[in-house]
Amino acid sequence: MDITFENVTYIYQPNSPFEHKALDDVSFHIESGSFVAIIGHTGSGKSTLISHLNGLSVPTEGIVSIGDYHLSKEDKPKNMKELRSRVGVVFQYPEHQLFEETVEKDIAFGPANFDVPQDEIKKRIDAIVPAVGLPTSVLERSPFDLSGGQMRRVAIAGVLAVKPDVLVLDEPTAGLDPRGQKEIMEMFYSLHKEQGLTTVLVTHSMEDAVKYADHVIILNKGSKYMEGKPEEVFTQKESLNQVHLDVPEMVRFINSFKERFGEEITFEKQTIKELAQMIKSVVKGAKV
Amino acid sequence: MNNSLIIGQYVPGTSIVHKLDPRTKITIIFFYVFTVFFANSLPSYGVLVVFALASMLTSRVPIRFIMKGLTPVWFLIIFTFILHLFVTKEGTVIFDVWIFEFYSGGVIQGFAISIRFFLLILVTSLLTLTTTPIEITDAIEDMLRPLNKVKFPVHELALMMSISLRFIPTLMQETDKISRAQASRGVDFRTGPIKDRIKAVVPLLVPLFVSAFKRAEELAMAMEARGYQGGEGRSKLRELKIELRDIMVYLLFACVMAILFLTRTYS
Ligand SMILES: Nc1ncnc2c1ncn2[C@@H]1O[C@H](COP(=O)(O)OP(=O)(O)O)[C@@H](O)[C@H]1O
Ligand SMILES: [Mg+2]
């Protein structure tokens, strides 16, 4: 589903001394099927922004459109539940939402609420549990007996079991060990490719954004600060530093390489291997 | 912590009402609440109203915000007024509608009760609007200190109070977060039959309890690790101190009380 924000402003607790403008006149468009990274400093409004995607927040001003669903102050979709079954959200620390007696019941909770038939739920669970990297033996256990990383995977499975068209991820790997982070991101990415999802990823990691996203939106203090392809956005070191963000490691390397050897290499989301090849050809050709 | 989120009802400020020693505020409000019931003449009500409104204005808390906070109470005030209008049968009949007769006594009684009610709520909410929960707890601990003599656990009570107060906003945030997460998983907290709505509370309460217990355990561990061992010999970070302004306010309040007792009618 296409996602469009038109001049969206969101104010927490309007008309009180605690009034706080968390989003300020934000506009952008996300094509169906794309993988978008939303980046910004803590408090820049990322979580507020994504809470509009399934109607948890309704814009104070402006319009949010997700496919044929339109959200504005005047006009809310009649069937909010349907919207929520099509937009799956993995919140920050999603393991806090677990509550059932067994892992299986917890994963089944979402799909059951959205009236997916029992046998279909069973089928989905059988497919999803190995996909998120859990052994099938956990299904009968209490989610509260699992490790933090396993709980996270259960919670993620619970969202995926609804089979949404749009997957929204709010810092899904925060607090995991590096290996777990990589596994989970790879899992989301292959899911994105296989099922043609539209994925919106909120992240602090430039590396993840470079690796997976084909479009990047940078927020600063509730406003859209930059937007574009990762290779365009992430090479603008000065602008990024101004909002306390850093460029990805590879861009930093390329910059240092240029300083040291005076040779220009273009950053185009290449892999480490490709970069090594390029360096090799540069070094040979330019006889450094 | 992020101070743009609501912390209790407290509205930060630098007015004299904010700066007063919390014990002064509590003492004055205690006597005020007490004397509201002694007012019985127009001037005596006037004094009380002027005092309450003046405190409200000096606090510089936006009036709109205070009034919004009073909305649930407005209903009660109006209800009391109407009740008095209908049931009090004193004084003379001033007008009648259909089978009802309205007496002057009813109108006067209605007004009197409503104003008392309004004043009580106004001054007490002014206390919580201008005083942090921690200050209130400190003040209560200090004022209850004499009870230590009869082995009443004043410090423990105060600690329990301040911990609960400290975690109310946290719990509210947590509730908000979890209910959003469950709403995203298709829980409908707002519509549907009562039975379903009660069932919808389970996915909210279980995670809330789990996290509250976890927090309690972590807090206990952190306190012990930092050598907490009860109130015995414990010094204070925030010392309460009566300043000149407190004394001035006490004097001013004494004048208000004097005028009140001079202007009320005795019979
Ligand atoms: N429920 C709320 N009430 C008031 N202010 C809030 C609330 N939630 C978030 N905010 C404020 O809105 C701003 C943006 O928050 P958020 O969207 O969570 O940022 P991010 O996810 O980028 O860290 C922050 O300044 C935060 O303090
Ligand atoms: Mg966030």
Side-chain angles (χ1 to χ4, degrees):
Chain A
M1 293 197 280
D2 278 28
I3 298 168
T4 311
F5 273 53
E6 283 170 65
N7 308 95
V8 172
T9 295
Y10 186 81
I11 301 177
Y12 281 108
Q13 300 169 46
N15 305 322
S16 81
F18 308 102
E19 183 172 290
H20 183 90
K21 202 183 246 185
L23 288 180
D24 188 2
D25 196 18
V26 174
S27 303
F28 59 82
H29 177 76
I30 296 176
E31 299 249 343
S32 184
S34 56
F35 195 122
V36 179
I38 296 181
I39 302 179
H41 207 247
T42 309
S44 57
K46 307 179 296 290
S47 298
T48 309
L49 189 151
I50 59 158
S51 70
H52 287 79
L53 297 176
N54 71 347
L56 288 176
S57 302
V58 174
T60 312
E61 273 166 51
I63 304 174
V64 173
S65 308
I66 304 110
D68 295 331
Y69 305 90
H70 303 283
L71 288 169
S72 68
K73 210 165 153 193
E74 295 80 28
D75 177 29
K76 283 166 222 169
K78 281 167 206 70
N79 201 341
M80 201 64 110
K81 206 163 163 181
E82 193 183 289
L83 170 64
R84 289 184 185 158
S85 73
R86 301 188 62 184
V87 180
V89 184
V90 175
F91 287 93
Q92 240 166 323
Y93 301 103
E95 56 273 24
H96 293 168
Q97 73 197 30
L98 302 176
F99 74 99
E100 280 283 13
E101 296 148 68
T102 68
V103 169
E104 183 169 15
K105 279 191 189 168
D106 209 291
I107 299 178
F109 181 68
N113 281 332
F114 294 121
D115 306 317
V116 177
Q118 279 303 319
D119 49 339
E120 169 67 17
I121 295 181
K122 187 90 194 75
K123 244 188 270 166
R124 289 187 189 179
I125 291 180
D126 290 341
I128 282 165
V129 167
V132 295
L134 286 170
T136 38
S137 59
V138 298
L139 280 179
E140 294 309 315
R141 291 176 59 189
S142 158
F144 299 108
D145 292 342
L146 305 179
S147 74
Q150 286 177 318
M151 284 167 84
R152 176 82 52 100
R153 286 162 202 258
V154 173
I156 290 172
V159 174
L160 296 179
V162 179
K163 292 219 170 178
D165 302 324
V166 178
L167 190 57
V168 180
L169 311 166
D170 194 350
E171 302 186 29
T173 59
L176 292 182
D177 57 290
R179 176 146 163 238
Q181 294 191 356
K182 184 150 185 272
E183 280 173 13
I184 287 188
M185 281 315 301
E186 291 292 339
M187 187 266 304
F188 283 133
Y189 193 59
S190 60
L191 215 66
H192 169 82
K193 287 275 175 235
E194 274 163 32
Q195 306 191 357
L197 301 178
T198 308
T199 307
V200 179
L201 168 73
V202 170
T203 182
H204 277 296
S205 158
M206 302 295 151
E207 313 306 327
D208 281 351
V210 167
K211 206 158 155 196
Y212 304 111
D214 32 51
H215 195 79
V216 177
I217 295 170
I218 308 235
L219 287 183
N220 180 43
K221 293 185 186 149
S223 301
K224 188 175 81 179
Y225 181 69
M226 282 162 99
E227 181 184 7
K229 292 207 174 81
E231 53 270 37
E232 293 161 9
V233 170
F234 286 141
T235 41
Q236 306 186 32
K237 185 164 177 284
E238 276 74 34
S239 309
L240 287 173
N241 286 351
Q242 252 173 30
V243 292
H244 309 288
L245 295 174
D246 217 342
V247 295
E249 209 176 351
M250 194 179 282
V251 176
R252 238 176 305 156
F253 174 83
I254 290 175
N255 288 346
S256 311
F257 185 82
K258 184 185 164 198
E259 243 168 64
R260 174 79 174 72
F261 298 105
E263 292 290 343
E264 196 89 51
I265 295 177
T266 335
F267 174 69
E268 45 196 18
K269 282 180 73 177
Q270 56 268 67
T271 60
I272 302 240
K273 268 220 179 83
E274 286 163 351
L275 182 66
Q277 276 300 328
M278 287 169 107
I279 293 173
K280 206 163 127 193
S281 64
V282 164
V283 170
K284 275 191 179 150
K287 46 189 187 312
V288 174
Chain B
M1 268 249 0
N2 197 323
N3 56 13
S4 64
L5 295 173
I6 307 189
I7 295 162
Q9 256 207 104
Y10 176 67
V11 180
T14 53
S15 74
I16 181 158
V17 184
H18 284 84
K19 282 191 193 145
L20 278 182
D21 188 293
R23 289 170 298 179
T24 310
K25 286 190 258 189
I26 293 177
T27 313
I28 286 182
I29 285 171
F30 179 80
F31 281 105
Y32 185 92
V33 166
F34 195 61
T35 45
V36 159
F37 294 99
F38 282 96
N40 61 1
S41 67
L42 206 54
S44 59
Y45 275 114
V47 177
L48 289 172
V49 171
V50 167
F51 179 77
L53 292 184
S55 318
M56 182 174 95
L57 291 180
T58 3
S59 77
R60 294 219 210 96
V61 177
I63 294 177
R64 211 175 35 156
F65 187 68
I66 302 179
M67 290 305 152
K68 230 171 94 189
L70 294 182
T71 355
V73 191
W74 281 122
F75 170 75
L76 218 60
I77 291 175
I78 292 168
F79 179 74
T80 333
F81 180 73
I82 293 175
L83 201 71
H84 270 279
L85 218 53
F86 278 100
V87 299
T88 311
K89 304 257 182 267
E90 281 163 23
T92 51
V93 179
I94 27 179
F95 60 98
D96 55 315
V97 182
W98 190 36
I99 53 163
F100 298 108
E101 289 178 328
F102 295 102
Y103 291 80
S104 61
V107 177
I108 292 169
Q109 276 285 335
F111 262 120
I113 300 287
S114 306
I115 284 187
R116 282 177 186 174
F117 216 50
F118 172 75
L119 291 176
L120 291 185
I121 307 287
L122 182 64
V123 291
T124 38
S125 49
L126 212 51
L127 174 71
T128 53
L129 285 167
T130 62
T131 323
T132 60
I134 294 293
E135 281 180 306
I136 296 182
T137 321
D138 281 350
I140 290 177
E141 179 175 2
D142 191 76
M143 292 162 84
L144 291 183
R145 184 149 301 149
L147 288 180
N148 260 333
K149 293 221 170 61
V150 292
K151 295 257 185 295
F152 184 81
V154 174
H155 171 77
E156 283 68 22
L157 189 78
L159 181 74
M160 271 161 57
M161 249 178 84
S162 52
I163 290 179
S164 328
L165 288 169
R166 160 64 185 79
F167 280 103
I168 286 173
T170 313
L171 271 178
M172 274 167 39
Q173 271 172 21
E174 199 100 345
T175 312
D176 183 57
K177 253 175 48 190
I178 296 170
S179 62
R180 282 163 157 258
Q182 308 300 28
S184 305
R185 293 212 279 167
V187 177
D188 192 347
F189 294 103
R190 295 216 177 77
T191 54
I194 290 287
K195 200 177 120 254
D196 288 1
R197 267 191 277 176
I198 293 172
K199 254 171 61 192
V201 177
V202 176
L204 181 61
L205 281 187
V206 174
L208 214 52
F209 272 100
V210 169
S211 84
F213 281 124
K214 214 185 287 166
R215 257 180 231 289
E217 214 164 284
E218 279 165 11
L219 182 68
M221 200 123 67
M223 284 170 72
E224 231 165 284
R226 286 191 264 171
Y228 179 79
Q229 47 174 10
E232 205 76 14
R234 190 175 159 78
S235 59
K236 280 206 166 295
L237 176 61
R238 301 170 300 267
E239 291 283 358
L240 295 176
K241 206 159 147 256
I242 297 288
E243 307 264 358
L244 183 63
R245 56 172 170 256
D246 292 290
I247 296 167
M248 303 300 278
V249 170
Y250 274 124
L251 287 177
L252 179 75
F253 186 67
C255 295
V256 170
M257 290 293 104
I259 300 174
L260 178 108
F261 281 97
L262 287 175
T263 52
R264 81 184 287 263
T265 50
Y266 297 88
S267 55

